[in-house]
Amino acid sequence: MCARGVSAVGSVRDQDVAQVQRGRVDEQAAGVVTAFGRQLKLLRVRAGLERPEFGKRMGYSADLVASIEQGRRIPQPQFIEKADEVLGAGGLLVALKEEVARAQYPAYFRDMARLESTAVSLCLYAAHAVPGLLQTEDYARAVFQMQRPLLDDEVIEQRLAARMLRQDIFTRRPAPLLSFVIEEVLLCKPIGGRASLRGQLEQILLVGQNRNVEIQVMPTERTDHAGLGGPFTLIDNADGRRLAYTEVQDDSRLYTDSGKIRELEARYGILRSQALTPCESMALIEQLLGES
């Protein structure tokens, strides 16, 4: 539960606790990757395969296999599935796939990634960039490359793979209900270049055709705007519980108290009423696509 009106001393203490907790989460994530690497090596040795031979059967280099076994690189889902098959692990490696995938996310997003993967509905207001769930690979890569301080190339590729994996939500069954309110200006920013923007607009139009997805655009010309407090997401889980998530400057908060959630629910409802309807929004995006 997130309390408001905390004193300056209390805020500092809360920040210290949060930093310690984030450190523990990072250690836990690293531990999962290390444990997977050790398990992989044990199964490979038991199968009587040297790294070069195993890599050849997998279609990967021996150096990459070594990096994964030593916990220096996070394996992608397809690697895990192939390794389980090649080594006859009987699902032992695949069983770790979800935990390993979660380690690809930055610490501040891991709880949200877990909630998102099982949500029955999401309501998301985007004010800074096209939402990650809607991003194309080109757009997402450009977003990661623009982060400051700069991210290592390996980290960019890991986070890119994780972001693309999140989009499995659109093919999940039963299908979750997904609502997006996106600022019009975000659909005009050429993140990654004009070709990237054009591909991004096409992606939004494609996703918006799904019956369980509603995309609304908040016109820049609106004189009354309920979203000036910043982006946020409302999450409904399978237990019928609603939570709220906010993120800014690589820091995040997960709200569980009913007062704050009701406040954000009301705000989202007003945002939807102020935005264009889904049909109007699709028409505007088509127009922007024609102009791009």
Side-chain angles (χ1 to χ4, degrees):
M1 183 176 294
C2 298
R4 289 175 285 179
V6 182
S7 67
V9 173
S11 297
V12 171
R13 288 174 178 170
D14 288 345
Q15 290 170 5
D16 289 342
V17 170
Q19 288 174 354
V20 171
Q21 290 175 336
R22 281 195 294 270
R24 288 173 180 168
V25 170
D26 283 339
E27 290 176 3
Q28 291 170 0
V32 168
V33 176
T34 300
F36 178 89
R38 290 173 178 171
Q39 190 73 271
L40 177 67
K41 181 178 180 180
L42 177 64
L43 290 168
R44 175 180 62 77
V45 172
R46 184 175 295 175
L49 294 174
E50 296 293 333
R51 278 180 187 153
E53 176 61 23
F54 175 62
K56 184 178 180 180
R57 295 190 186 187
M58 289 284 294
Y60 294 93
S61 69
D63 287 343
L64 186 140
V65 172
S67 294
I68 292 174
E69 289 185 347
Q70 293 163 13
R72 294 185 286 109
R73 183 160 185 167
I74 301 174
Q76 298 305 307
Q78 58 269 28
F79 179 96
I80 296 175
E81 293 167 1
K82 181 70 172 178
D84 196 280
E85 177 185 342
V86 170
L87 297 175
L92 186 62
L93 295 177
V94 171
L96 296 171
K97 185 168 68 171
E98 185 176 337
E99 289 299 321
V100 171
R102 194 173 297 140
Q104 297 179 97
Y105 299 110
Y108 63 84
F109 189 74
R110 286 182 193 133
D111 285 341
M112 178 57 190
R114 175 179 53 80
L115 292 168
E116 183 183 84
S117 67
T118 57
V120 296
S121 75
L122 292 172
C123 297
L124 191 152
Y125 167 57
H128 297 150
V130 170
L133 285 176
L134 298 175
Q135 291 178 6
T136 64
E137 186 171 329
D138 286 344
Y139 186 101
R141 178 176 280 107
V143 169
F144 289 131
Q145 288 175 339
M146 291 177 187
Q147 288 196 20
R148 300 296 189 275
L150 295 173
L151 299 175
D152 292 339
D153 289 343
E154 187 171 305
V155 173
I156 289 175
E157 292 306 314
Q158 288 174 357
R159 293 192 181 179
L160 180 62
R163 180 156 296 183
M164 295 299 101
L165 187 63
R166 288 171 56 201
Q167 296 180 6
D168 286 350
I169 194 171
F170 295 114
T171 56
R172 207 174 73 205
R173 293 295 180 269
L177 298 175
L178 304 171
S179 170
F180 301 87
V181 176
I182 306 172
E183 289 291 333
E184 179 184 354
V185 67
L186 303 182
L187 307 177
C188 302
K189 286 185 176 181
I191 302 296
R194 289 291 170 184
S196 173
L197 175 60
R198 184 175 180 83
Q200 183 59 73
L201 294 176
E202 291 173 344
Q203 170 83 345
I204 294 173
L205 286 172
L206 182 63
V207 174
Q209 294 176 8
N210 293 323
R211 290 190 300 135
N212 63 314
V213 177
E214 286 195 339
I215 297 174
Q216 294 179 254
V217 176
M218 175 65 76
T220 302
E221 64 181 15
R222 284 288 188 262
T223 56
D224 190 14
H225 196 308
L228 299 184
F232 62 91
T233 303
L234 297 171
I235 313 119
D236 289 326
N237 62 24
D239 298 328
R241 190 181 183 191
R242 172 160 279 186
L243 303 96
Y245 173 83
T246 62
E247 178 187 315
V248 65
Q249 296 297 332
D250 294 342
D251 196 10
S252 64
R253 286 193 179 189
L254 189 63
Y255 294 92
T256 59
D257 63 288
S258 58
K260 182 64 176 180
I261 291 172
R262 281 197 298 268
E263 178 183 310
L264 292 174
E265 285 174 337
R267 190 172 300 171
Y268 195 78
I270 297 171
L271 281 167
R272 290 197 68 184
S273 70
Q274 294 171 334
L276 299 176
T277 67
C279 288
E280 292 170 338
S281 298
M282 292 298 102
L284 174 60
I285 296 171
E286 287 179 352
Q287 177 186 332
L288 293 172
L289 182 58
E291 297 172 355
S292 64

